[in-house]
Amino acid sequence: MGEKMVVPRFGTQQTRSRGGSSHQQALINFDLTPEDLEIYLDEYVIGQREAKAVLATKICTHFRRVRYMLERGGRFQDAGFVKNNVIMIGPTGVGKTYMVKLLAQKLGVPFVKGDATKFSETGYVGGDVEDLIRDLVHEADGDIERAQFGIVYLDEIDKIASSGNLIGPDVSRTGVQRALLKPLEETEVDLRVPHDPVSQLEAIEHYRRTGQKKRRTINTRYVLFVVSGAFSGLEEIIKKRLRKQGLGFMAEVASKQDAEVNYLRFVKTEDLIEYGFESEFVGRLPVITVFDPLTVDELYEILCNPNSSVIVNKKRDFRAYGINLVFEDEALKLLAIQAEKEKTGARALVRVIERALIPFEKRLPSLRARFFVVTKELVEDPQGMLATFEANPHDPSWEARYKRALEEETKRIKKFIEERQKKLWRGKGIKLTPERMELAIALHRRDDFDLHQALEELFILMRQVKNYERSFERRTGFKVSFSDEALDLILRHIIEMDQGVYAYCDRILNLLEYGLRLVNERTGQVQFTIPKEAIEQPDLYLNSLIRHTYSGKKS
């Protein structure tokens, strides 16, 4: 492979010398497990249990195996490296793209997405498939070594299957398949594009300065490819094969009502070849996973999920006008029913919500509303509800319904956290108390975070408090630790006042430091637990501490 690859450590930037110059490089420290990735997906993606398990496992294994091979050096470099390239099959709007994006985000690897219909074999019409690899370098901020461990996602892959209706070969589609063969396995991609004048000028300038040709390439050996498509018509091919077999379990499946069976689950390589893919192309995509259509219940769960981008983004639309938006539970159920009828998965949720709320998004800013509640009646008749609201926008009943809906939403969020508490807080080393759950919800609402971001933000704040305790010890020699109740109160004050952790803790301990020194001089004590009372009323606590010390009582 030419120059020896380094073992990457995703997400960590480190400067090291290379050839006499300083080089910014992302190194790998990948220690996640398939279950870690599956748990992460569970926070965002509803249903699709089998697809989540397959993707989490195979993507995790791919990067683990890359690290394993690179750590052992040249012994494995010449051996055949079979990549876990994945083909995802399923209807639109079920989370295929979303899931791969989430995994790339969690791993910290460069990620690019392309549409298979926009590429041609030569690149003269449409794009060149190698442009995707060049885009990886761009996503990695020009770091070629990091880009070599990226993920390329290619959507609408079913559209490059050869059509069976043509007489003779379908050159344009099979040509794109063949153009993808080398990148899917291993090839060197020149980062200098021949028809790009900027690249040409850079090469000329480099030759003028050095007298050498400049050649920058990226190897696709460890780039993981994930392709997806709806594969309309593939079910009929699978059913035809099952009927021909007509034996045992397959005969039983084929005899059921079509609505009861997702035939795509029985897909085999031979079905994809009959669909119009070349055997060499399918052979380079060894992992197949199938997504199920979303049911009404799953669509409702998506709306209830505090990490759902559908609801979070709609709330942000209204928050941009200073309006706090909340949904009643019955409204969410009705929206899910309407979305399921459109048969476009989670995308339909956005459509039905927009259909109901656009009139209010237009009118409410002019009415200077501060809050609004989405009710079942609104979803059923948006224009009628808008007329009612306009007639009496200050009716106290609106605020009462808003508060009830807010309580319903809080219950849904708490239920979500409780069901996933051990998974969400695993490895943090800090207990998630009811008070901290409330604080996470407050962050979720105040900053429009998804719940995962809110919990991470809360964890960061808690860690900063612990860091402050250590810095105070280094500065004063006193080892202080806030009690759980004191820590929770500090977090609440910081969130409510939107104040920095160090500034807040400094203010409290600067008031207490004089008393701590008096106690130390009297008793020699250097270790102190700061209770909640010291945060609520530092002066009273300080007086009590000194009084107890000088009366001979232990502080």
Side-chain angles (χ1 to χ4, degrees):
M1 290 177 58
E3 184 180 356
K4 182 180 176 182
M5 278 189 178
V6 297
V7 180
R9 182 187 303 271
F10 297 131
T12 303
Q13 294 292 326
Q14 186 178 44
T15 304
R16 73 181 179 104
S17 176
R18 181 182 179 187
S21 63
S22 108
H23 178 67
Q24 279 296 109
Q25 171 168 316
L27 303 175
I28 288 183
N29 184 19
F30 183 63
D31 56 0
L32 294 169
T33 67
E35 286 190 349
D36 290 332
L37 292 181
E38 188 177 12
I39 288 167
Y40 179 72
L41 290 177
D42 283 339
E43 295 176 35
Y44 293 90
V45 181
I46 300 300
Q48 311 300 352
R49 179 63 51 200
E50 183 178 326
K52 282 189 282 193
V54 171
L55 278 176
T57 301
K58 298 313 297 180
I59 290 179
C60 185
T61 299
H62 170 80
F63 289 106
R64 282 275 193 161
R65 187 154 53 104
V66 167
R67 187 181 72 172
Y68 170 78
M69 292 177 67
L70 292 177
E71 284 176 343
R72 279 149 185 79
R75 287 181 296 160
F76 293 113
Q77 293 300 314
D78 296 327
F81 181 76
V82 180
K83 289 194 282 188
N84 292 326
N85 294 326
V86 182
I87 184 167
M88 302 191 298
I89 300 172
T92 184
V94 294
K96 299 189 294 293
T97 305
Y98 187 44
M99 208 178 288
V100 180
K101 276 186 177 179
L102 285 170
L103 288 171
Q105 175 182 296
K106 184 67 174 176
L107 296 171
V109 297
F111 170 85
V112 296
K113 178 189 174 185
D115 189 325
T117 60
K118 295 181 180 178
F119 294 104
S120 66
E121 180 178 8
T122 62
Y124 292 125
V125 180
D128 187 328
V129 293
E130 292 187 348
D131 288 341
L132 288 170
I133 309 301
R134 298 183 186 103
D135 288 343
L136 269 182
V137 179
H138 176 73
E139 287 299 315
D141 297 323
D143 189 333
I144 297 176
E145 287 176 344
R146 182 166 174 253
Q148 288 176 113
F149 306 97
I151 295 177
V152 170
Y153 176 72
L154 200 55
D155 200 7
E156 304 285 2
I157 199 68
D158 49 324
K159 302 301 190 295
I160 64 168
S162 177
S163 172
N165 299 324
L166 293 177
I167 298 173
D170 188 346
V171 176
S172 64
R173 296 181 178 182
T174 56
V176 178
Q177 291 181 42
R178 289 168 187 162
L180 279 165
L181 292 181
K182 285 186 177 180
L184 281 169
E185 195 167 61
E186 180 182 5
T187 191
E188 293 281 343
V189 176
D190 194 342
L191 296 179
R192 184 174 60 83
V193 184
H195 52 266
D196 179 7
V198 175
S199 297
Q200 295 284 358
L201 289 172
E202 287 179 351
I204 293 170
E205 178 63 20
H206 179 80
Y207 183 79
R208 186 186 67 79
R209 286 188 288 105
T210 66
Q212 297 177 340
K213 289 184 177 181
K214 182 181 181 181
R215 180 170 172 80
R216 295 176 73 231
T217 63
I218 178 173
N219 191 287
T220 65
R221 181 185 181 88
Y222 298 128
V223 173
L224 185 69
F225 283 79
V226 180
V227 303
S228 74
F231 289 85
S232 176
L234 181 59
E235 278 190 303
E236 293 303 316
I237 293 173
I238 297 169
K239 278 194 268 188
K240 179 181 174 184
R241 172 174 57 79
L242 292 176
R243 290 190 184 109
K244 281 183 179 178
Q245 290 174 343
L247 297 171
F249 174 70
M250 292 303 183
E252 182 182 340
V253 169
S255 67
K256 290 183 179 180
Q257 294 294 323
D258 286 355
E260 298 177 28
V261 181
N262 182 359
Y263 283 94
L264 293 174
R265 290 194 167 277
F266 303 99
V267 66
K268 289 186 175 181
T269 300
E270 62 190 88
D271 302 318
L272 294 172
I273 293 171
E274 185 175 345
Y275 190 77
F277 288 106
E278 303 230 329
S279 57
E280 294 91 342
F281 181 77
V282 177
R284 285 166 171 79
L285 296 159
V287 181
I288 301 176
T289 184
V290 176
F291 285 66
D292 295 313
L294 294 171
T295 64
V296 171
D297 288 342
E298 287 171 334
L299 290 167
Y300 169 67
E301 282 188 63
I302 290 172
L303 293 174
C304 291
N305 187 332
N307 293 330
S308 168
S309 58
V310 177
I311 295 296
V312 168
N313 283 318
K314 198 68 239 169
K315 287 190 172 190
R316 287 171 180 167
D317 287 349
F318 277 77
R319 186 68 69 85
Y321 297 105
I323 302 169
N324 291 318
L325 188 70
V326 68
F327 292 76
E328 286 186 346
D329 197 60
E330 289 300 315
L332 295 178
K333 289 177 181 176
L334 183 55
L335 288 166
I337 291 169
Q338 291 181 353
E340 195 276 335
K341 291 176 182 177
E342 299 209 6
K343 305 300 181 186
T344 54
R347 289 190 177 92
L349 290 173
V350 177
R351 191 173 298 110
V352 296
I353 289 173
E354 293 293 352
R355 190 165 60 210
L357 290 182
I358 280 179
F360 296 90
E361 193 173 331
K362 173 190 173 185
R363 187 73 181 106
L364 292 186
S366 301
L367 295 175
R368 301 198 180 280
R370 293 179 297 104
F371 58 84
F372 192 68
V373 56
V374 181
T375 66
K376 181 182 178 183
E377 296 88 344
L378 183 153
V379 177
E380 291 172 332
D381 182 14
Q383 292 297 338
M385 184 57 69
L386 179 58
T388 302
F389 185 82
E390 286 180 312
N392 192 0
H394 303 297
D395 187 336
S397 65
W398 288 112
E399 186 169 2
R401 289 192 76 166
Y402 173 78
K403 288 180 178 178
R404 284 199 302 271
L406 212 55
E407 289 174 3
E408 284 180 359
E409 183 184 74
T410 300
K411 289 178 181 176
R412 289 196 298 267
I413 295 172
K414 284 183 177 179
K415 181 182 177 184
F416 181 90
I417 295 175
E418 287 165 357
E419 289 175 348
R420 297 163 173 81
Q421 181 169 337
K422 290 182 180 178
K423 295 177 181 179
L424 287 170
W425 218 243
R426 187 168 72 168
K428 303 296 186 187
I430 301 174
K431 184 179 179 183
L432 183 59
T433 63
E435 170 69 11
R436 289 167 194 171
M437 193 184 298
E438 295 280 356
L439 293 173
I441 295 172
L443 281 169
H444 166 70
R445 286 186 173 135
R446 189 194 73 180
D447 296 330
D448 289 323
F449 286 148
D450 66 39
L451 191 60
H452 180 78
Q453 288 175 305
L455 286 167
E456 283 295 324
E457 181 70 16
L458 184 63
F459 173 66
I460 289 169
L461 292 175
M462 294 169 75
R463 191 168 55 192
Q464 287 175 351
V465 173
K466 295 298 178 186
N467 288 341
Y468 180 83
E469 291 174 351
R470 288 190 284 272
S471 71
F472 185 80
E473 181 183 4
R474 288 193 297 271
R475 179 166 61 85
T476 66
F478 298 138
K479 183 176 179 61
V480 298
S481 61
F482 295 102
S483 69
D484 282 347
E485 294 78 10
L487 176 57
D488 290 348
L489 185 58
I490 289 171
L491 294 171
R492 179 165 293 282
H493 287 171
I494 288 168
I495 291 169
E496 289 175 351
M497 295 186 292
D498 198 16
Q499 188 172 349
V501 169
Y502 277 69
Y504 181 88
C505 292
D506 246 349
R507 184 170 60 81
I508 295 296
L509 284 181
N510 281 343
L511 291 171
L512 298 179
E513 186 177 346
Y514 172 71
L516 300 182
R517 291 199 179 280
L518 289 177
V519 172
N520 171 258
E521 290 170 4
R522 181 82 175 179
T523 66
Q525 183 177 343
V526 294
Q527 196 163 338
F528 301 88
T529 299
I530 309 298
K532 180 181 180 182
E533 296 76 35
I535 310 301
E536 293 174 320
Q537 297 179 305
D539 291 336
L540 288 178
Y541 171 75
L542 188 57
N543 290 336
S544 173
L545 179 67
I546 295 172
R547 188 170 59 251
H548 286 186
T549 300
Y550 279 81
S551 66
K553 296 179 181 179
K554 190 175 181 180
S555 61

